[in-house]
Amino acid sequence: MLDDSQTMSAFTDIEFVPGTTNGWAVNQAGEIFATTNGSTWTLQYTNPYGDTLYGVDAFDASNAIVVGSYGEVFKTTNGGSAWLDRSINRKYALRDVAYRASGVAWAAGERGLIVRSTDNGDTWTTIGPGVESGVIQSIEASSDTAAVTAALGASWMRTTDSGATWSRQSSPTAGTSWAAIDGPDGANAWRVGNGGAIEHTSDGTTWTAQTSGTTNGLFDIGAIDRQTAVVVGAGGTIRRTIDGGTTWTAVSSGTTSTLRAAFVTEYGTVWVAGDGGTLLKSSDRGVTFSPVTSGTSAMLTSLAGSSELQIYVGTADGSVRRSQDGGGSWASLTGPNTNSAINALDAVPRTNVLWATQGSRMARSTNSGTTW
């Protein structure tokens, strides 16, 4: 568990090696923490320049690259036993990095700066600035030659030729503050935000605005399949689509409380949670919702589930509520930190592993939230 006994600084990024419990996390104090079991974290390295570290990426348990606020680049080839300084400049911040098993790495940041390495981060070639004038917040690489960047102002740039040329993909609802994103697979997804904004992508790159039918703020979305999804928001708003978002229809929630979280189980049961302990359940893929007694009047902030029967609810007071009978009864569990709201929950399907995020803290339980 990453906690205040190890650092008082907010974490900026965390990365787990796919399919493993090996991971790294970086923070505003320039510290690099590592874990091999997903639970115990160890401080491995501190930025000698004293600056914030913004991004980390790894393709296996030995190789990782970290980037920071004044062009810092640090790499490890031995799981973090040693970190090598490969910083490219001391001028512009690098906000994110994408590192592939082939040894190709991409990094991006302020003033549209984009750099690329073909030798595991030892040397870097500058592609920007010039591609994008703003701050590039993230970069993702789908191959050694293809990458997508996301910048402030809802602007995307894409290359398929190692950065020689870029095409702009602007969000049709620029300026929206996005609250949540969800989809049934890696290419198809919806995202929701303020003013009733909904956008959809079917390729993971191009986003198209959809008409939600409401101007209420939308806070979460639960995708059931490529055609069916439920969004929730202020004033008890629930909207549902069964045609991929071409149309969104209102669904009665029976409440005017703000609804903040939505979760869909493996078999299409939809859970919704919100203010004042409001908890709703749909057993017909979001057509109708029935109230469920949560046993608390606290603001409910997050939802997760490891099966149809085992459901978790996070609260603003830092506790977790757990049902092991599909919502028939609930147990109140002490969260990782009772002084902070639970921002997000994630349960590993068909296991007792539960993750919770509270501000800059991340905690893991291996016994269904009983201890952390």
Side-chain angles (χ1 to χ4, degrees), residues 179-182 192 218-222 230-233 259-263:
I181 184 170
D182 191 28
V192 297
L218 300 176
F219 296 116
D220 205 2
I221 180 166
V230 171
V231 300
V232 301
L259 302 176
R260 300 184 181 276
F263 171 73

Side-chain angles (χ1 to χ4, degrees), residues 222 224-225 228-232 238-242 249-254 264 267-272 280-290:
I224 300 172
D225 56 38
T228 311
V230 171
V231 300
V232 301
I238 300 180
R239 313 288 294 188
R240 179 176 183 261
T241 184
I242 58 172
T249 57
V251 177
S252 175
S253 66
V264 180
Y267 296 101
T269 300
V270 184
W271 289 88
V272 171
L280 308 173
K281 179 181 180 180
S282 172
S283 300
D284 53 14
R285 296 167 62 90
V287 177
T288 59
F289 284 85
S290 300

Side-chain angles (χ1 to χ4, degrees), residues 193-197 212-219 232-237:
N194 59 293
S212 67
T214 181
T215 57
N216 289 339
L218 300 176
F219 296 116
V232 301
T237 298

Side-chain angles (χ1 to χ4, degrees), residues 12-13 54-56 67 93-97 107-114 132 134-140 148-156:
T12 52
D13 196 17
Y54 283 117
V56 56
V67 297
L94 293 171
R95 294 297 188 104
D96 196 21
V97 59
E110 293 179 355
R111 304 285 182 93
L113 178 62
I114 304 172
E132 172 65 63
V135 177
I136 298 175
Q137 295 287 73
S138 65
I139 187 164
E140 296 290 338
V148 176
T149 69
L152 293 178
S155 175
W156 284 264

Side-chain angles (χ1 to χ4, degrees), residues 42 54 86 117 196 230 312 353:
T42 303
Y54 283 117
R86 296 293 185 263
S117 172
V230 171
Y312 304 94
V353 177

Side-chain angles (χ1 to χ4, degrees), residues 182-200:
D182 191 28
D185 53 53
N188 293 270
W190 287 272
R191 60 184 179 184
V192 297
N194 59 293
I198 300 179
E199 287 186 359
H200 178 263

